[in-house]
Structures are given as C-alpha cells and as structure tokens.
Amino acid sequence: MSLLAGARGLVAARSRADARLMARVGGTMVLLAGVLALASLLLAGDAGMETPTIVALACTAVVVGLAEVLLAPWLDARVPMLLATGSTGLVAYGVACAGSLWGAYTFLYVWIALFCAYFGTFRAALGQFALVVAGYTADLVVVGPRGAGVFWLVGSSALAGATVLVAAMRDRLDRQRRGETARLEAAVTERTGRLEESERRYRDLVEELPLVVYADELDDDASTTYVSPAIERILGYPVDEWLLHRDLFRRLLHPDDRDRVLAANARHNRTLEPFTEEYRLIGRDGQVVWFLDHATIDRDADGTPTLSRGYMLDITERKRLEAQLVEQAFHDPLTGLANRSLFRDRVEHALARRRNEEPVAVLFLDLDDFKTVNDSLGHDVGDRLLVGVAERLAECVRAGDTAARLGGDEFAVLLEDDASEESARAVADRIHEALRRPLPLAAKEVFARATVGIAIADRTRITGDELLRNADVAMYQAKRAGKGRIAVYESSMHAAALERLDLTAELEQALERGEFQLQYQPIVDIETEDVVGVETLVRWRHPTRGALAPSAFIGLAEETGMIVGLGRWVLERACADLAEVLAPRGRFLAVNLSPRQLEEEALVEDVRSIIAAAGLPAQRLVLEITEGALTGETEEALTRLAALRAVGVRIAIDDFGVGYSSLSQLDRFAVDMVKIARPFVESLSGPGSGQLARAVVKIASALGVTTVAEGIEQPAQLAQLRRLRCRLGQGYLFAQPMDAEGIVALLAEEPGRRKVA
C-alpha cells in the first residue's frame, strides 16, 4: 500500500493527453495493489483482528482502481491521484488502528510518498524506490516472512519498477515538452521580430511616400475632415492647421490653376463622378509643388454619399523631368534657343493664326567663315562663338519673336507682329550691328559676320516649310553676291535654286561622261612677249546647255566636294597634254588648286605621282591657290604647301587683292608668284592710274616674288605694266584660250620668231 501512494503521486499530468494516459496507468496500479493485498491475505491466513478492515480497504482500492481505468478519458489527472492516495491512506490508517506494527509504519510511509509525489520528479521516484526497499525490510522484521508473503514481495518489486519507469517517461516527456516549448517560443520571438521589422519598414515607407490621404465633406467648401501627416512634410502646414482653416487649400492653389481646380471640384461634388486633376500648390516656404489629385465618393450602406475620399501624389519631380525632356526635344542644347522642330512648329502656328493676310517673316542667317574659326581656334572656341551669337541674336528680337538655331552655324528668326519687309530688314540690320561688336574668345577678339535671307508670307498661301525654304534660298543668293549681305526672297530665286539642283545632279555624271574639256591660255614675258607658261582652264560642254564657264559650276563643285575628283582629272590631263612641249624649253604649266583639294591628305602624293607619270619636272608645275585657302592659316594647309614646295612644285596666289588677306601677309606664306587680279589691271587705264596694282608689284618685287598680271586687254595697260616692271602677263591682248592642239602648235614655234599678239 505504501508503494501504491508513492507511484500514484507521479502521474499528475500537465496536458490532457498525458492526463488520460497517466489516469489509466494509475488506475491499473491501484487495482493491482488491491488484488495483491487480497492475495497476500489469502496466502497468509488469519493475520489478526485487522484483517476484515484490510480486506474492506483492499476491495475499496480494487473498485477505485477499476473506476479510474474506466473513467480515465473524462477525469482530470489530479482527481484519480487524490482518489488513489486517499484510498491508500485509508487502508494504512485502518491497519494502524487494528494494532499492526507494519501497518502503522506503512501509514507513516504513505505521507512520505505523498510528499515525493507532490514534486513528481525522477529523483523523487528513485528516493521512493529506496523507501519501498526499506519499508519491505521493516515489514519482514515486524511481521516476518510469513506476513509479507511471496505476492507482497513480487508486487512491491513490480510496482517499484513501474514507479521508476513512469517517472522516467514523465521526465522524458517533460524534457521534450520544455524543448518544444523553447523552440516554439524562439520561433514566436523570431516571427514577432520579423513582423515588427516589417511593420517598421512599411511604416517608414508609407511615411516617406510623397502621398497625402484626405477626406472632405461633400459641400461647396469641401472642408477637410481628415488629412494624413505627410502634408506637413511636403507643404509645411501641420494637420491641425489644415483641419482648422477651411479655405487653406483654396489659398494655396497656384493662381494659374485655381479657377480650373475649383470648378472641377465643384463638379465632382455635384455629379459624384471621380475627380482627377494635376495642379500646383504653394508651400509655406514659397516652393511650388505639383500634385496629382484623385478622389472618389464614399457611400454608406444605403448608398447615400458621405465623403469625398482621395489621395494627393507629389509629382513635382516628374513634372521637372517632363519639362527637361521638352526642353531637350525642342531647344538647342548648346545655345538654349529653339531648335529646328520647335521653330517649324512656331512658323506653322503663326501662319495659321494670322488674320486679314497679315505678313509673317522668317530671317535665315548663316555665319560667314565659321569653319575658319573652328579650324584655326578649335571647336571649343567655335561653340563659344555660337553661344555668343545666340545671345546677340536674342538681344535683337522682340518679345513676341522666336530665335532659333537650326543646326551648325545656321540661325533663324520668326517675326509675327509687324512683319513687313521694312521691319524684317530693320531686324537684320540690328543683327549685323550687334555682330560687329567683337566677342572675347580664346584670349583674342573674334568677329562674327552673317549673311541673311528674308522670306515674307503675305497674300499667298504658303506652308511653314516653304517659307523657311524661301528664306534659305534668299540667304544663299545673298552669299553668292558677297558675304555679310541681306537679300529678300523673290520668286525668280526659287527657279534659280531648282536649276542649281538640276545642275548638281548633272555635274555628278559629267566627269564620267567625258563632258569636261581643257583650254589653255598663254602666259607671256611682258618685255619680250614670248610665251613662258600656260594656264589651264576647264570648260563644261553640257549636252543641252552648251559651253559653261568655270563660274557656272566650280563653286557648285566646291560645295559638293566633287572638285576633288575634277581637280585631279584636270592635273592629269594637262600634264599628259603638255609635258612634252613644256619641259624642253623651260616653260611652266599653271593649274588651279581649290581650297577643298588643299584639305585632302593625299594631295601631295597625288601631285607627285601625276607629274612623275607624265614626265613633267616638278619645277615646271605651278599650282594656283586663292587667298581664301590661306585665310584660315591652318597648320594642315601650311604643312601641305611646304610639302608641295619640297617636291619642287611652285605656288602662286591667284586673284591677289580681292580676297581677305593683306599685302603684308605675303612674307608669311611660301609662294613664288602673285597674280594681280583683273580689276586692278583694268584700273591702269582709268582714273587713279592703278595705284593698287603699283603697290602689289612693288611689295612683291621687294619680297622676291614674281608678279603676273591677269586680264590684259588694252595696249595702254601693257605699257603701264611695263613701266611698273611687272614681269609676266596674260589676257586677250596676247591670245584667247585654245585647245590642246592650238597651244601645242604655239609652243612649237621658236622663241622670238613671232609675238603672241
């Protein structure tokens, strides 16, 4: 009985499943204890006067144990424990009352077992097992072997082992439960931490969003009933101020947006349709903030409108990027002026808006010699020059006009109000006057000049592209007449431009078709009139236009770049025609070299190979260049001229005096001849007595440069040149240009046998 109380005290389970299991185990133990007690009494025979009481209590234990096993699913773990220990205590007490010494001892042991059962640990079970062994020993001493009996010995040992087993199971379950509980607690802690961190990040994200949530009453004032705290961060006004001042939103609206937004808001409140607008609010610091505002109507369960609820998204950065993209799409990135696309759009709108055939004018500007600035001072200085021109241009136009950079060194101006021809010319004059002021660039003063073409749309129907084209045509005509000029478009200019376009297409194929021919004009010694050289002239035998002079196509060939191939062909053909008749008698061959050819890297090698193939000594070739080829003073041009002279070729400046250089520049270039321009020679027979020609001859003579007078047509001019000691000359007075056969026949004659004239 003592063992029963200690073993049963260990089954106080802490969970419902453990309670059911331990109730069955405890009930079985109580039932087994009662059976063993009855069996011991039967085997021991008459145990004394306490036997009936023990039998009664043992039977009670059997009934209690059986009831506990059957009622285990519905009993709490503490209930069967109390029943078992209580019945065991009653048995022990009855035995003690009957005068049994070992029963009294067992009664004392019951309460020790109950104390151990209260703590219910594995160590307590081991201690209780030790007490069982001690109690059994005491029973042997008190009642003897007969009183204890075999069943009592077997039962005590079995129950003691069961007690240890149950305690071990419970200890293992407790450890598992504590481990599982710890894992669950750790998982819960980790999950809680993640949730808190996620909540913090979400809260930070929401607070950082440029988004304001609000709710307004459905009335004309649209008074705010709720606004999120983000409003203070964006606009500087706290929530309380928004809720207190009903007209704050109205006061903060940008003046340009106020009427539109308030009207849209009133329509939203009246029609209950969604509200979506972009507008500007002015913050407390004076900064303008763009918002995208979207609102919808909240309704109650009956469908009655209650509030206007929405959000205001800060789109200031998006608007800034949009403005930047528009700026890049429609403005020149270098100068900030309108680009070609925006200018064309402005012209089209100006033509569409005009009433009563009011004129619209376009000025087309092209900078003169801009390439020279790029080549001599560099592209950075060229860009700064363009910026300076744009600033001067903006100063010359009116507030309603549009200035644009069309590309490269081309600019344009659109005049709408008061766009008559006189007004357009006045603007062009102001532009010329503004450009006369020097621009301080690259540690030196640079002057910009421009040629201007003007086109005016008045009574005729015209598109923007046509108006711009007409201004371009007028500019081109002005540039052909001389740089720095102004020209107004006339219908005849368009026809000339179309003819020039056709001529360009025909020029592309003229060389392949063999339509070019060479003519030669003698160059004579002015004193003896003997032929000392020949100048090569190219003519175009056009199949429908007839013979075209160089002035009709050389400039076009220069612009298109076809002059490079044409110039090489002229040099090859002239050397092949005259090499044999020039070399023996020391005469020279003069061939024009265009500025465009001088830019070619292969020029020196081409000249070397051509004269070598023809057998013409290098010193018999004179390459004539214009002053314009030297005004840029580029290192490449000077290097190529020096390389040509190193080959042995001589260099002449053609039409000297009509270009941009001065006489003092002669000593800066490695030249051998100077050809006096025709206008200077013509002045020899008129008023002034040819002072310019006289000056050229004297300076050239002082520098050791040979002078050649062009366009000599009168004997008086020849006499003057002889008095000036000009060495060489050419012109109709001596001979007209002739083909190869004629010049070969002329050169075949002995010097001094007959004069050219």
Side-chain angles (χ1 to χ4, degrees), residues 354-403:
R354 64 175 181 158
R355 298 185 299 272
N356 301 324
E357 298 180 348
E358 296 175 349
V360 173
V362 169
L363 281 64
F364 194 104
L365 293 81
D366 184 83
L367 299 185
D368 299 330
D369 302 316
F370 177 72
K371 185 177 183 299
T372 302
V373 177
N374 271 341
D375 292 342
S376 58
L377 301 179
H379 289 276
D380 289 340
V381 176
D383 288 345
R384 290 164 57 192
L385 175 63
L386 293 174
V387 173
V389 170
E391 293 174 352
R392 301 281 175 85
L393 198 61
E395 296 173 0
C396 298
V397 299
R398 300 163 301 186
D401 301 333
T402 300

Side-chain angles (χ1 to χ4, degrees), residues 225-548:
T225 60
Y226 171 80
V227 63
S228 60
I231 194 69
E232 182 175 4
R233 176 171 51 83
I234 298 176
L235 290 176
Y237 292 92
V239 173
D240 294 342
E241 194 166 351
W242 279 91
L243 300 179
L244 180 62
H245 300 287
R246 300 168 62 91
D247 63 337
L248 183 58
F249 177 78
R250 183 191 303 269
R251 289 191 286 110
L252 296 184
L253 274 171
H254 193 280
D256 294 341
D257 300 335
R258 183 176 294 123
D259 293 340
R260 171 177 57 86
V261 174
L262 293 180
N265 188 66
R267 184 169 58 254
H268 165 67
N269 293 340
R270 184 177 64 256
T271 63
L272 306 181
E273 295 178 352
F275 171 88
T276 301
E277 291 290 335
E278 292 183 0
Y279 55 81
R280 289 160 289 181
L281 294 179
I282 302 176
R284 187 183 292 275
D285 57 359
Q287 296 295 320
V288 175
V289 182
W290 273 96
F291 284 100
L292 168 62
D293 193 339
H294 179 75
T296 55
I297 300 298
D298 271 0
R299 301 174 184 270
D300 58 17
D302 298 332
T304 303
T306 56
L307 290 174
S308 173
R309 178 174 51 85
Y311 63 84
M312 297 161 54
L313 179 63
D314 183 356
I315 59 172
T316 305
E317 183 64 17
R318 192 196 80 187
K319 285 293 186 179
R320 186 188 66 80
L321 292 176
E322 288 178 356
Q324 183 177 350
L325 291 175
V326 171
E327 180 74 16
Q328 294 175 353
F330 295 105
H331 289 81
D332 176 54
L334 177 63
T335 64
L337 298 180
N339 61 12
R340 181 181 292 271
S341 297
L342 180 58
F343 188 78
R344 290 176 57 190
D345 184 71
R346 295 277 179 87
V347 173
E348 292 289 354
H349 281 78
L351 293 174
R353 284 195 302 267
R354 64 175 181 158
R355 298 185 299 272
N356 301 324
E357 298 180 348
E358 296 175 349
V360 173
V362 169
L363 281 64
F364 194 104
L365 293 81
D366 184 83
L367 299 185
D368 299 330
D369 302 316
F370 177 72
K371 185 177 183 299
T372 302
V373 177
N374 271 341
D375 292 342
S376 58
L377 301 179
H379 289 276
D380 289 340
V381 176
D383 288 345
R384 290 164 57 192
L385 175 63
L386 293 174
V387 173
V389 170
E391 293 174 352
R392 301 281 175 85
L393 198 61
E395 296 173 0
C396 298
V397 299
R398 300 163 301 186
D401 301 333
T402 300
R405 181 188 175 209
L406 304 183
D409 60 343
E410 295 180 343
F411 294 84
V413 175
L414 169 64
L415 306 178
E416 294 191 59
D417 298 330
D418 189 17
S420 62
E421 180 177 337
E422 292 76 15
S423 298
R425 282 187 176 274
V427 173
D429 289 337
R430 288 202 301 270
I431 293 173
H432 275 164
E433 187 66 27
L435 295 181
R436 287 192 183 98
R437 304 197 307 269
L439 293 165
L441 304 174
K444 63 173 60 179
E445 292 183 340
V446 179
F447 292 85
R449 297 192 304 172
T451 301
V452 183
I454 300 174
I456 299 175
D458 42 25
R459 293 180 176 84
T460 58
R461 297 183 60 86
I462 190 172
T463 65
D465 288 340
E466 291 172 342
L467 186 60
L468 188 59
R469 180 206 63 196
N470 292 346
D472 189 7
V473 170
M475 183 278 300
Y476 181 79
Q477 293 295 329
K479 183 156 289 193
R480 291 191 65 187
K483 298 177 181 179
R485 296 174 179 267
I486 300 173
V488 180
Y489 175 79
E490 298 176 357
S491 57
S492 59
M493 293 180 179
H494 187 212
L498 292 178
E499 181 180 0
R500 185 177 179 82
L501 183 62
D502 294 339
L503 195 63
T504 301
E506 294 168 350
L507 186 60
E508 293 275 0
Q509 302 175 352
L511 189 59
E512 298 178 1
R513 295 175 178 175
E515 297 176 0
F516 290 108
Q517 294 181 355
L518 296 185
Q519 289 187 336
Y520 304 93
Q521 186 175 36
I523 300 175
V524 303
D525 186 313
I526 287 181
E527 288 295 332
T528 64
E529 298 186 22
D530 290 333
V531 179
V532 296
V534 175
E535 180 179 8
T536 305
L537 306 173
V538 63
R539 299 291 186 267
W540 182 5
R541 302 294 180 183
H542 194 279
T544 59
R545 301 172 187 262
L548 299 179

